[in-house]
Amino acid sequence: MTSPAGLDDRYDDPDRLRDQMRLLLGYRTTIALGVLLGLLGGLLLVLLRAGDHTSTSEVLVRPRTDPFSTFGVAADNQVSMGTERHIALSATVAERAATALGQPSRADALLTDLRVSHPPDTQVLRFEYTAGDAKRAARVSNAFAAAYLADRQDRSKSMIARMATGLERQVAELTRRIAAGKKSADAAAGTAGVQQQIGVLRKKLSDIRAYDTTGGDIVRTAEPAARPVGPGPGRLLPLGLIGGLVLGVVLAWLRSALEPRARSISEVRGTLLAPVLGILPGPDAKGEPLEVGRTAGSRAEAYRALAFRLRGGDGPAAVGTLMVVAPKRERGAEAVAVNLAAALAECGEQVLLVDATGHTPGLPARLPLTADESVPPDMPGGAVVVDAGTAGRFTLRPEVRGTAADDGPAAPIAARALSGAAPERATLVLAPPLLEHAESLALAQRVDGVVVVAGLGESRRDDLKRVRELIGCSGGRIVGAALHDGARRGRRARLLDSGRTRRAWRRTPSPAPSAPGGDTVEKPTAPVRDDTLTASR
C-alpha cells in the first residue's frame, strides 16, 4: 500500500501565530463575554464617578520663628511640610471642620474623601475634597483650610501663653528680691542689676505678646466645580472596551491552553504521529451513511478525496487491508468506512467491507442492497452486495449477533475472515471503538494500516494518544486520520451522536430497503457462520 499524501488546507499553516489566532477565534463567545464585562465595568465607572466633583483650596503656611533666637534661619527651613500635612489630616482638624459645618459626628467620614498634598519646593498645602455635590465639595474644602489655620493659630497662642507665663514668673521673683533688698543695707548695691534684668524680661514679654500668631493665609478659595472629576463617558467606555477585549483574549487563551479536545490539525497530527488525510463534513443526521454514488455534494467529494489520498494518486495502486476505527463510539467511523468503500469501488477496486462492530441490525438494514444474487463465489456466507449507484458495487460482510442480547463486537470472527482475504481485493474493516472494546486490537495487527476517525473539536487528545499507544503496542500502524469538522455540526447532530440516542436507535429495527425494481429485499437476521467456523477449525 502506498503512503498517503499529506493534507494541505486552510487548517495546516506553518505560521504558529496564525494557528494560535485560529484557536483563539474558536472561542468567540468567551471573547465576546470579556468585551461585555469590560463595557459593563466602564459603564459602572461612569455611573459611580458621574456625580463626583472635586474642589481645591490652598493655604500658604507661615513659618514660626523663635522669638528668643538670635540667629537668622531661612524660612524654608522653619516649616516641615510633611509634618504640617499630617497635622492637616489629624482628627483635631477634622473635628474642628465638622463642627464648623454643623456635622460634629461625621469627622471621620469627612477625612475619607479628603486629600492633602503640597507641591514640591513650596510652603503651600493643597486641600482637595471630593463629593457628589459640587457646592458641598467646595464648602468642606474651605472648612478644612480654615480649621487647619485656626488649629495652627491656637497652637501658636498656646506656645506664646506658656512663654509669657514663664517670663512673668521670673519678673515676679526678681521683684520680690528687690523688695527684700530695700530692708538690708548690704543688698542695696545689687538692686540696680536686678532692675536691669527685670527691664530685659519685660522687654521680651512685650515682644512675645506682640508676636503674630497667624498660621498662614488662604491663597486659593475652593469654588464649586463646573464638571465632574476624572475621565468622562467618552474615555471610560473605550477604555472598558479595550480592557474587555484584552480580558476576553486572555480568557480564550486560557481555555485553549486547558482545552482537552483536539481543535486543530497540528494537535491531531502531533498526538497520533500520523498525517491527517482529510477533513470531512459531519455525518448525515438522517441516518443514511452512504453518499458516494447516491448523492452529490461536498460530503461525497470529501470522501472521494480521502480515497484518492489512500490510493496515493490516480494510478492502479492497491489499497490493501485497512481498518477504520474511532476512539469511542460515533457515527463518523461508519460513514467513513461505507463511503470509502464506495469511493474505492468507483475507482475500479474490488472492495470488501467487513462490519465488525456487532450492531443489530447492522449496516445491511441501512444500505441499499442489490436485488439479484451477485455475491462473489469466494465470499463466505452472509455476505451481501451494496448498490452504490453510479459508484458501482461493493461487498459487505456483516458480522452481527442474532439477537439484541448478543449485541457486541465480532472482532474475532472478522479476524478469521481477514485471514482468507484475497490480496488483489481492497478490504476495509469497520472495527468497534478501540477504547471501548479491546477486541479491535486483534484486528489492528492483521491489517496493513489503520485509519483513525475523530471529530475535530470533539475528540480528546488523551483518547487519541491512547489509541496511538494501543495500536503501536499491538504491532499495527496508523496510516492517517480522517477528521469530522465537529465545530460546524449543530446541536441536533451532536444529540444524535450521543450515547442515549445511539442505544435507542440500536433497539429500533429498520425496515428493509427496496430494490431498484420495487421489490423488497429480505435481510438476514443472523449471518450464517457455520462454514466459516468449520473452515477455521
Side-chain angles (χ1 to χ4, degrees):
M1 180 178 64
T2 59
S3 177
L7 176 65
D8 184 14
D9 66 348
R10 57 189 176 91
Y11 291 95
D12 191 11
D13 197 322
D15 193 350
R16 294 184 179 180
L17 180 60
R18 292 183 180 180
D19 189 33
Q20 187 68 23
M21 289 298 296
R22 292 191 184 102
L23 290 178
L24 292 180
L25 290 178
Y27 300 96
R28 297 182 181 90
T29 304
T30 303
I31 297 177
L33 179 61
V35 172
L36 180 60
L37 291 178
L39 288 177
L40 291 178
L43 183 60
L44 182 62
L45 289 178
V46 170
L47 295 178
L48 292 178
R49 304 292 294 179
D52 289 346
H53 297 78
T54 299
S55 295
T56 304
S57 60
E58 294 181 351
V59 173
L60 175 62
V61 181
R62 179 176 296 178
R64 291 185 299 189
T65 59
D66 186 359
F68 300 123
S69 177
T70 58
F71 301 97
V73 182
D76 55 353
N77 293 331
Q78 297 172 5
V79 180
S80 175
M81 297 305 297
T83 302
E84 298 299 328
R85 177 181 175 276
H86 283 285
I87 293 175
L89 291 172
S90 64
T92 304
V93 175
E95 291 176 358
R96 189 185 293 268
T99 303
L101 292 171
Q103 300 174 346
S105 61
R106 301 192 71 251
D108 295 336
L110 292 176
L111 285 175
T112 305
D113 297 324
L114 178 67
R115 181 175 178 269
V116 180
S117 61
H118 61 90
D121 302 329
T122 64
Q123 295 181 356
V124 176
L125 278 182
R126 181 176 296 162
F127 293 83
E128 297 177 350
Y129 191 82
T130 303
D133 187 9
K135 294 182 179 181
R136 171 176 170 78
R139 187 168 62 253
V140 175
S141 180
N142 290 329
F144 267 97
Y148 165 74
L149 292 179
D151 179 77
R152 199 164 191 267
Q153 187 175 16
D154 289 346
R155 286 187 286 110
S156 298
K157 288 181 178 180
S158 298
M159 181 188 67
I160 296 299
R162 290 192 301 270
M163 295 175 66
T165 301
L167 290 176
E168 289 175 352
R169 189 180 297 114
Q170 294 180 18
V171 171
E173 180 66 25
L174 291 176
T175 302
R176 285 194 301 269
R177 288 176 57 184
I178 292 176
K182 290 180 180 181
K183 298 179 182 181
S184 175
D186 297 336
T191 302
V194 174
Q195 290 180 346
Q196 185 179 2
Q197 292 180 8
I198 292 175
V200 173
L201 292 177
R202 286 178 176 174
K203 175 70 168 56
K204 290 183 178 180
L205 182 60
S206 177
D207 292 341
I208 289 175
R209 287 175 176 173
Y211 181 74
D212 188 5
T213 59
T214 304
D217 300 319
I218 297 178
V219 296
R220 179 182 175 182
T221 304
E223 298 292 340
R227 56 183 180 180
V229 68
R235 292 184 180 180
L236 289 178
L237 291 180
L239 288 177
L241 178 62
I242 296 175
L245 181 60
V246 173
L247 176 63
V249 171
V250 171
L251 292 178
W253 180 82
L254 288 176
R255 284 196 59 187
S256 65
L258 301 177
E259 177 62 61
R261 297 173 297 178
R263 300 184 61 89
S264 66
I265 279 188
S266 59
E267 294 181 357
V268 176
R269 185 169 51 226
T271 305
L272 291 177
L273 299 181
V276 175
L277 303 175
I279 297 181
L280 310 172
D284 191 3
K286 297 179 181 180
E288 299 176 357
L290 181 59
E291 297 189 31
V292 175
R294 308 289 295 186
T295 60
S298 60
R299 288 190 180 90
E301 295 301 325
Y303 290 123
R304 289 187 177 97
L306 176 61
F308 181 82
R309 293 189 180 96
L310 285 173
R311 297 179 73 250
D314 54 358
V319 175
T321 304
L322 291 178
M323 183 178 75
V324 180
V325 67
K328 295 183 178 180
R329 179 169 297 183
E330 63 174 30
R331 299 174 61 190
E334 182 180 274
V336 169
V338 171
N339 288 278
L340 185 58
L344 292 175
E346 190 177 33
C347 296
E349 298 272 358
Q350 295 182 7
V351 183
L352 169 62
L353 174 60
V354 180
D355 181 12
T357 58
H359 291 169
T360 303
L363 283 178
R366 290 178 291 117
L367 292 178
L369 306 181
T370 58
D372 55 347
E373 300 293 336
S374 57
V375 179
D378 57 344
M379 288 290 100
V384 294
V385 177
V386 179
D387 183 10
T390 60
R393 298 179 178 182
F394 63 89
T395 306
L396 172 63
R397 172 70 189 278
E399 299 290 348
V400 298
R401 303 302 186 187
T403 62
D406 297 332
D407 192 12
I413 302 176
R416 290 192 294 269
L418 287 177
S419 60
E424 68 276 0
R425 180 184 295 114
T427 304
L428 301 179
V429 181
L430 177 59
L434 188 63
L435 300 183
E436 298 178 0
H437 301 282
E439 293 85 350
S440 298
L441 296 177
L443 298 176
Q445 57 187 346
R446 287 177 171 83
V447 297
D448 297 330
V450 179
V451 177
V452 179
V453 180
L456 191 62
E458 295 182 354
S459 299
R460 299 171 60 92
R461 288 192 295 267
D462 293 341
D463 294 342
L464 297 178
K465 183 179 179 181
R466 291 174 58 192
V467 167
R468 183 198 69 195
E469 294 174 350
L470 290 175
I471 293 177
C473 293
S474 65
R477 182 174 67 92
I478 298 178
V479 177
L483 303 180
H484 286 292
D485 194 356
R488 297 182 177 182
R489 300 172 63 189
R491 294 183 179 179
R492 182 181 178 185
R494 295 186 182 184
L495 179 62
L496 290 176
D497 283 346
S498 62
R500 182 180 301 177
T501 308
R502 282 194 301 265
R503 288 191 296 269
W505 168 68
R506 287 169 52 188
R507 291 193 298 266
T508 304
S510 300
S514 300
D519 300 330
T520 301
V521 180
E522 183 179 357
K523 301 298 184 302
T525 58
V528 181
R529 297 190 181 90
D530 295 340
D531 52 347
T532 306
L533 294 175
T534 304
S536 61
R537 291 170 185 168

